[in-house]
Amino acid sequence: MWIVEWGRYHAEMTSMPVSERLGSHLKRAEQALSATKAAVLKPAGVTVAQYSALLHLSENPGISAAALARLCGVTPPTMNTVLNNLQDRALIERTPHEWHRNVLETRLTDEGRAVMADADARAVRVERALAAEFTDEEREALTGLLGRCVALLETERGRA
């Protein structure tokens, strides 16, 4: 009897089934992408977070840790941990900025560029396989729809 009552109570407390929650579907897709990239990046010797940092550093040499954290979507303390690990492996170098001595500029080393090239080739294979699942029109529509999700969610976060 109590199971039936709990089920009724639970149903009354849930105003939207999980299957209808777009956030659940977005999260599952993000988790699947992250797990797949983690698996393909492992032979390159980097984590997804380290790869993301290396990727953005390759496009933005000299960027600060704070700016890099924003690009990678992580907190500054998390980025500092990632950068310390990369620096310990001699994949990056951090030097004081010419005019702002309290700001460290971060750049890839030659070894970092080699690891980045290997990791990027692996990640690009995943991205290309994912893109191949859709027609050009579907990819364009999906990109637009995801952009609308981001815009709405950022607006909602601003209202919180």
Side-chain angles (χ1 to χ4, degrees):
M1 173 88 173
W2 67 271
I3 293 175
V4 172
E5 289 176 10
W6 179 85
R8 201 173 313 128
Y9 170 77
H10 182 68
E12 291 171 4
M13 297 305 294
T14 302
S15 60
M16 182 180 213
V18 173
S19 63
E20 293 178 16
R21 296 176 188 228
L22 292 178
S24 294
H25 295 286
L26 289 170
K27 183 66 174 176
R28 284 181 54 222
E30 187 275 333
Q31 287 173 326
L33 178 61
S34 184
T36 302
K37 282 193 176 180
V40 302
L41 291 171
K42 190 172 185 175
V46 294
T47 66
V48 174
Q50 290 170 339
Y51 165 69
S52 181
L54 292 172
L55 177 65
H56 287 291
L57 281 169
S58 71
E59 294 182 356
N60 303 283
I63 192 170
S64 70
L68 187 58
R70 284 189 294 277
L71 286 174
C72 293
V74 299
T75 64
T78 297
M79 183 51 63
N80 278 326
T81 299
V82 169
L83 292 176
N84 286 338
N85 290 334
L86 293 173
Q87 190 170 19
D88 289 347
R89 294 182 52 204
L91 300 181
I92 63 165
E93 60 185 4
R94 299 172 83 187
T95 56
H97 187 277
E98 184 178 348
W99 299 306
H100 306 285
R101 292 290 176 196
N102 58 339
V103 173
L104 292 176
E105 293 183 320
T106 307
R107 289 185 170 72
L108 297 176
T109 62
D110 289 341
E111 179 66 18
R113 280 187 281 284
V115 169
M116 168 55 200
D118 179 31
D120 195 47
R122 294 167 184 279
V124 165
R125 281 196 299 272
V126 172
E127 293 288 347
R128 286 194 175 135
L130 184 57
E133 281 297 302
F134 302 97
T135 65
D136 291 345
E137 295 79 22
E138 288 172 330
R139 279 192 306 277
E140 188 175 321
L142 181 58
T143 301
L145 293 169
L146 291 171
R148 282 174 45 197
C149 288
V150 169
L152 177 273
L153 294 169
E154 288 176 346
T155 299
E156 288 297 314
R157 185 177 62 226
R159 292 180 185 163

